[in-house]
PDB file of all heavy atoms in Angstrom:
ATOM      1  N   LYS J   1     101.424 105.181  63.594  1.00 88.00           N
ATOM      2  CA  LYS J   1     100.292 104.473  64.201  1.00 88.00           C
ATOM      3  C   LYS J   1     100.239 103.094  63.579  1.00 88.00           C
ATOM      4  O   LYS J   1     100.116 102.974  62.371  1.00 88.00           O
ATOM      5  CB  LYS J   1      99.004 105.227  63.936  1.00 88.00           C
ATOM      6  CG  LYS J   1      99.008 106.618  64.527  1.00 88.00           C
ATOM      7  CD  LYS J   1      97.726 107.334  64.158  1.00 88.00           C
ATOM      8  CE  LYS J   1      97.830 108.766  64.561  1.00 88.00           C
ATOM      9  NZ  LYS J   1      98.167 109.661  63.475  1.00 88.00           N
ATOM     10  N   VAL J   2     100.343 102.080  64.407  1.00 76.00           N
ATOM     11  CA  VAL J   2     100.386 100.706  63.912  1.00 76.00           C
ATOM     12  C   VAL J   2      99.157  99.963  64.395  1.00 76.00           C
ATOM     13  O   VAL J   2      98.755 100.106  65.543  1.00 76.00           O
ATOM     14  CB  VAL J   2     101.670 100.005  64.415  1.00 76.00           C
ATOM     15  CG1 VAL J   2     101.716  98.568  63.952  1.00 76.00           C
ATOM     16  CG2 VAL J   2     102.895 100.753  63.939  1.00 76.00           C
ATOM     17  N   ASP J   3      98.577  99.152  63.516  1.00 47.00           N
ATOM     18  CA  ASP J   3      97.437  98.320  63.878  1.00 47.00           C
ATOM     19  C   ASP J   3      97.888  97.313  64.939  1.00 47.00           C
ATOM     20  O   ASP J   3      98.660  96.406  64.660  1.00 47.00           O
ATOM     21  CB  ASP J   3      96.921  97.604  62.634  1.00 47.00           C
ATOM     22  CG  ASP J   3      95.759  96.678  62.947  1.00 47.00           C
ATOM     23  OD1 ASP J   3      95.308  96.645  64.096  1.00 47.00           O
ATOM     24  OD2 ASP J   3      95.313  95.995  62.026  1.00 47.00           O
ATOM     25  N   SER J   4      97.401  97.484  66.165  1.00 37.00           N
ATOM     26  CA  SER J   4      97.850  96.632  67.271  1.00 37.00           C
ATOM     27  C   SER J   4      97.452  95.169  67.076  1.00 37.00           C
ATOM     28  O   SER J   4      98.086  94.278  67.623  1.00 37.00           O
ATOM     29  CB  SER J   4      97.298  97.150  68.598  1.00 37.00           C
ATOM     30  OG  SER J   4      95.891  97.197  68.556  1.00 37.00           O
ATOM     31  N   GLY J   5      96.427  94.910  66.264  1.00 41.00           N
ATOM     32  CA  GLY J   5      96.035  93.529  66.011  1.00 41.00           C
ATOM     33  C   GLY J   5      97.066  92.775  65.197  1.00 41.00           C
ATOM     34  O   GLY J   5      97.388  91.636  65.494  1.00 41.00           O
ATOM     35  N   SER J   6      97.616  93.413  64.170  1.00 48.00           N
ATOM     36  CA  SER J   6      98.560  92.708  63.298  1.00 48.00           C
ATOM     37  C   SER J   6     100.013  92.878  63.714  1.00 48.00           C
ATOM     38  O   SER J   6     100.846  92.060  63.382  1.00 48.00           O
ATOM     39  CB  SER J   6      98.384  93.182  61.853  1.00 48.00           C
ATOM     40  OG  SER J   6      98.682  94.546  61.763  1.00 48.00           O
ATOM     41  N   LEU J   7     100.315  93.950  64.451  1.00 56.00           N
ATOM     42  CA  LEU J   7     101.704  94.195  64.836  1.00 56.00           C
ATOM     43  C   LEU J   7     101.790  94.540  66.318  1.00 56.00           C
ATOM     44  O   LEU J   7     102.385  95.533  66.707  1.00 56.00           O
ATOM     45  CB  LEU J   7     102.284  95.340  64.002  1.00 56.00           C
ATOM     46  CG  LEU J   7     102.344  95.096  62.503  1.00 56.00           C
ATOM     47  CD1 LEU J   7     102.630  96.379  61.767  1.00 56.00           C
ATOM     48  CD2 LEU J   7     103.382  94.071  62.162  1.00 56.00           C
ATOM     49  N   ALA J   8     101.231  93.693  67.162  1.00 44.00           N
ATOM     50  CA  ALA J   8     101.129  93.977  68.596  1.00 44.00           C
ATOM     51  C   ALA J   8     102.479  94.221  69.252  1.00 44.00           C
ATOM     52  O   ALA J   8     102.587  95.044  70.156  1.00 44.00           O
ATOM     53  CB  ALA J   8     100.416  92.826  69.301  1.00 44.00           C
ATOM     54  N   SER J   9     103.506  93.551  68.823  1.00 46.00           N
ATOM     55  CA  SER J   9     104.809  93.691  69.475  1.00 46.00           C
ATOM     56  C   SER J   9     105.374  95.098  69.345  1.00 46.00           C
ATOM     57  O   SER J   9     106.155  95.530  70.175  1.00 46.00           O
ATOM     58  CB  SER J   9     105.804  92.688  68.911  1.00 46.00           C
ATOM     59  OG  SER J   9     106.037  92.958  67.554  1.00 46.00           O
ATOM     60  N   LEU J  10     104.976  95.827  68.294  1.00 40.00           N
ATOM     61  CA  LEU J  10     105.500  97.174  68.117  1.00 40.00           C
ATOM     62  C   LEU J  10     104.755  98.206  68.947  1.00 40.00           C
ATOM     63  O   LEU J  10     105.272  99.270  69.191  1.00 40.00           O
ATOM     64  CB  LEU J  10     105.408  97.585  66.644  1.00 40.00           C
ATOM     65  CG  LEU J  10     106.347  96.879  65.699  1.00 40.00           C
ATOM     66  CD1 LEU J  10     106.106  97.365  64.286  1.00 40.00           C
ATOM     67  CD2 LEU J  10     107.790  97.108  66.090  1.00 40.00           C
ATOM     68  N   THR J  11     103.543  97.898  69.383  1.00 37.00           N
ATOM     69  CA  THR J  11     102.742  98.902  70.065  1.00 37.00           C
ATOM     70  C   THR J  11     102.842  98.821  71.582  1.00 37.00           C
ATOM     71  O   THR J  11     102.343  99.687  72.275  1.00 37.00           O
ATOM     72  CB  THR J  11     101.255  98.777  69.658  1.00 37.00           C
ATOM     73  OG1 THR J  11     100.810  97.460  69.979  1.00 37.00           O
ATOM     74  CG2 THR J  11     101.076  99.054  68.188  1.00 37.00           C
ATOM     75  N   ASN J  12     103.483  97.801  72.122  1.00 41.00           N
ATOM     76  CA  ASN J  12     103.561  97.649  73.574  1.00 41.00           C
ATOM     77  C   ASN J  12     104.228  98.812  74.266  1.00 41.00           C
ATOM     78  O   ASN J  12     103.821  99.222  75.347  1.00 41.00           O
ATOM     79  CB  ASN J  12     104.296  96.352  73.935  1.00 41.00           C
ATOM     80  CG  ASN J  12     103.479  95.136  73.560  1.00 41.00           C
ATOM     81  OD1 ASN J  12     102.269  95.223  73.395  1.00 41.00           O
ATOM     82  ND2 ASN J  12     104.133  94.004  73.419  1.00 41.00           N
ATOM     83  N   ASP J  13     105.292  99.377  73.664  1.00 41.00           N
ATOM     84  CA  ASP J  13     106.064 100.436  74.291  1.00 41.00           C
ATOM     85  C   ASP J  13     105.613 101.831  73.886  1.00 41.00           C
ATOM     86  O   ASP J  13     106.232 102.801  74.242  1.00 41.00           O
ATOM     87  CB  ASP J  13     107.553 100.293  73.936  1.00 41.00           C
ATOM     88  CG  ASP J  13     108.096  98.959  74.383  1.00 41.00           C
ATOM     89  OD1 ASP J  13     107.627  98.453  75.412  1.00 41.00           O
ATOM     90  OD2 ASP J  13     108.981  98.429  73.696  1.00 41.00           O
ATOM     91  N   ARG J  14     104.562 101.953  73.122  1.00 38.00           N
ATOM     92  CA  ARG J  14     104.213 103.246  72.545  1.00 38.00           C
ATOM     93  C   ARG J  14     103.545 104.166  73.533  1.00 38.00           C
ATOM     94  O   ARG J  14     102.717 103.781  74.327  1.00 38.00           O
ATOM     95  CB  ARG J  14     103.280 103.038  71.362  1.00 38.00           C
ATOM     96  CG  ARG J  14     104.032 102.368  70.238  1.00 38.00           C
ATOM     97  CD  ARG J  14     103.376 102.510  68.953  1.00 38.00           C
ATOM     98  NE  ARG J  14     103.006 103.868  68.732  1.00 38.00           N
ATOM     99  CZ  ARG J  14     102.272 104.245  67.727  1.00 38.00           C
ATOM    100  NH1 ARG J  14     101.852 103.394  66.887  1.00 38.00           N
ATOM    101  NH2 ARG J  14     101.942 105.498  67.571  1.00 38.00           N
ATOM    102  N   SER J  15     103.906 105.422  73.439  1.00 40.00           N
ATOM    103  CA  SER J  15     103.224 106.483  74.168  1.00 40.00           C
ATOM    104  C   SER J  15     102.105 106.978  73.272  1.00 40.00           C
ATOM    105  O   SER J  15     102.337 107.247  72.101  1.00 40.00           O
ATOM    106  CB  SER J  15     104.198 107.622  74.463  1.00 40.00           C
ATOM    107  OG  SER J  15     103.488 108.779  74.800  1.00 40.00           O
ATOM    108  N   HIS J  16     100.902 107.100  73.803  1.00 41.00           N
ATOM    109  CA  HIS J  16      99.769 107.490  72.972  1.00 41.00           C
ATOM    110  C   HIS J  16      99.496 108.980  73.023  1.00 41.00           C
ATOM    111  O   HIS J  16      98.515 109.448  72.468  1.00 41.00           O
ATOM    112  CB  HIS J  16      98.519 106.709  73.386  1.00 41.00           C
ATOM    113  CG  HIS J  16      98.688 105.237  73.166  1.00 41.00           C
ATOM    114  ND1 HIS J  16      98.678 104.677  71.918  1.00 41.00           N
ATOM    115  CD2 HIS J  16      98.936 104.223  74.035  1.00 41.00           C
ATOM    116  CE1 HIS J  16      98.863 103.364  72.016  1.00 41.00           C
ATOM    117  NE2 HIS J  16      99.034 103.074  73.284  1.00 41.00           N
ATOM    118  N   VAL J  17     100.382 109.741  73.657  1.00 39.00           N
ATOM    119  CA  VAL J  17     100.167 111.184  73.769  1.00 39.00           C
ATOM    120  C   VAL J  17     100.110 111.819  72.393  1.00 39.00           C
ATOM    121  O   VAL J  17      99.174 112.546  72.066  1.00 39.00           O
ATOM    122  CB  VAL J  17     101.284 111.833  74.623  1.00 39.00           C
ATOM    123  CG1 VAL J  17     101.123 113.332  74.654  1.00 39.00           C
ATOM    124  CG2 VAL J  17     101.267 111.269  76.031  1.00 39.00           C
ATOM    125  N   ALA J  18     101.132 111.553  71.555  1.00 41.00           N
ATOM    126  CA  ALA J  18     101.180 112.165  70.237  1.00 41.00           C
ATOM    127  C   ALA J  18     100.026 111.686  69.375  1.00 41.00           C
ATOM    128  O   ALA J  18      99.407 112.468  68.664  1.00 41.00           O
ATOM    129  CB  ALA J  18     102.505 111.860  69.552  1.00 41.00           C
ATOM    130  N   SER J  19      99.708 110.394  69.436  1.00 42.00           N
ATOM    131  CA  SER J  19      98.617 109.849  68.630  1.00 42.00           C
ATOM    132  C   SER J  19      97.284 110.473  69.006  1.00 42.00           C
ATOM    133  O   SER J  19      96.477 110.796  68.151  1.00 42.00           O
ATOM    134  CB  SER J  19      98.539 108.334  68.817  1.00 42.00           C
ATOM    135  OG  SER J  19      99.711 107.725  68.341  1.00 42.00           O
ATOM    136  N   ASP J  20      97.052 110.645  70.307  1.00 44.00           N
ATOM    137  CA  ASP J  20      95.803 111.258  70.762  1.00 44.00           C
ATOM    138  C   ASP J  20      95.700 112.696  70.297  1.00 44.00           C
ATOM    139  O   ASP J  20      94.626 113.158  69.898  1.00 44.00           O
ATOM    140  CB  ASP J  20      95.699 111.193  72.289  1.00 44.00           C
ATOM    141  CG  ASP J  20      95.521 109.768  72.795  1.00 44.00           C
ATOM    142  OD1 ASP J  20      95.181 108.894  71.976  1.00 44.00           O
ATOM    143  OD2 ASP J  20      95.737 109.539  73.998  1.00 44.00           O
ATOM    144  N   THR J  21      96.824 113.419  70.333  1.00 41.00           N
ATOM    145  CA  THR J  21      96.822 114.807  69.901  1.00 41.00           C
ATOM    146  C   THR J  21      96.488 114.903  68.425  1.00 41.00           C
ATOM    147  O   THR J  21      95.630 115.691  68.020  1.00 41.00           O
ATOM    148  CB  THR J  21      98.203 115.454  70.160  1.00 41.00           C
ATOM    149  OG1 THR J  21      98.525 115.296  71.533  1.00 41.00           O
ATOM    150  CG2 THR J  21      98.208 116.926  69.792  1.00 41.00           C
ATOM    151  N   ILE J  22      97.153 114.108  67.608  1.00 41.00           N
ATOM    152  CA  ILE J  22      96.904 114.120  66.167  1.00 41.00           C
ATOM    153  C   ILE J  22      95.475 113.692  65.875  1.00 41.00           C
ATOM    154  O   ILE J  22      94.795 114.287  65.053  1.00 41.00           O
ATOM    155  CB  ILE J  22      97.892 113.195  65.429  1.00 41.00           C
ATOM    156  CG1 ILE J  22      99.313 113.735  65.547  1.00 41.00           C
ATOM    157  CG2 ILE J  22      97.515 113.021  63.973  1.00 41.00           C
ATOM    158  CD1 ILE J  22      99.524 115.065  64.877  1.00 41.00           C
ATOM    159  N   HIS J  23      95.002 112.645  66.576  1.00 44.00           N
ATOM    160  CA  HIS J  23      93.648 112.148  66.349  1.00 44.00           C
ATOM    161  C   HIS J  23      92.612 113.237  66.622  1.00 44.00           C
ATOM    162  O   HIS J  23      91.666 113.399  65.876  1.00 44.00           O
ATOM    163  CB  HIS J  23      93.378 110.921  67.211  1.00 44.00           C
ATOM    164  CG  HIS J  23      92.007 110.363  67.006  1.00 44.00           C
ATOM    165  ND1 HIS J  23      91.639 109.736  65.839  1.00 44.00           N
ATOM    166  CD2 HIS J  23      90.914 110.372  67.805  1.00 44.00           C
ATOM    167  CE1 HIS J  23      90.367 109.375  65.928  1.00 44.00           C
ATOM    168  NE2 HIS J  23      89.915 109.744  67.101  1.00 44.00           N
ATOM    169  N   SER J  24      92.807 114.004  67.686  1.00 42.00           N
ATOM    170  CA  SER J  24      91.843 115.049  68.017  1.00 42.00           C
ATOM    171  C   SER J  24      91.837 116.144  66.956  1.00 42.00           C
ATOM    172  O   SER J  24      90.800 116.706  66.632  1.00 42.00           O
ATOM    173  CB  SER J  24      92.119 115.639  69.398  1.00 42.00           C
ATOM    174  OG  SER J  24      93.352 116.312  69.401  1.00 42.00           O
ATOM    175  N   ILE J  25      93.010 116.444  66.385  1.00 43.00           N
ATOM    176  CA  ILE J  25      93.088 117.454  65.332  1.00 43.00           C
ATOM    177  C   ILE J  25      92.395 116.960  64.078  1.00 43.00           C
ATOM    178  O   ILE J  25      91.619 117.679  63.460  1.00 43.00           O
ATOM    179  CB  ILE J  25      94.560 117.804  65.040  1.00 43.00           C
ATOM    180  CG1 ILE J  25      95.137 118.549  66.235  1.00 43.00           C
ATOM    181  CG2 ILE J  25      94.695 118.639  63.780  1.00 43.00           C
ATOM    182  CD1 ILE J  25      96.626 118.541  66.288  1.00 43.00           C
TER     183      ILE J  25
END
């Protein structure tokens, strides 16, 4: 999980499925 404010170029292609799953847990 990367801070989109400081490293926006890395988050453009990211799928948020895994992040959402982990966040809910």
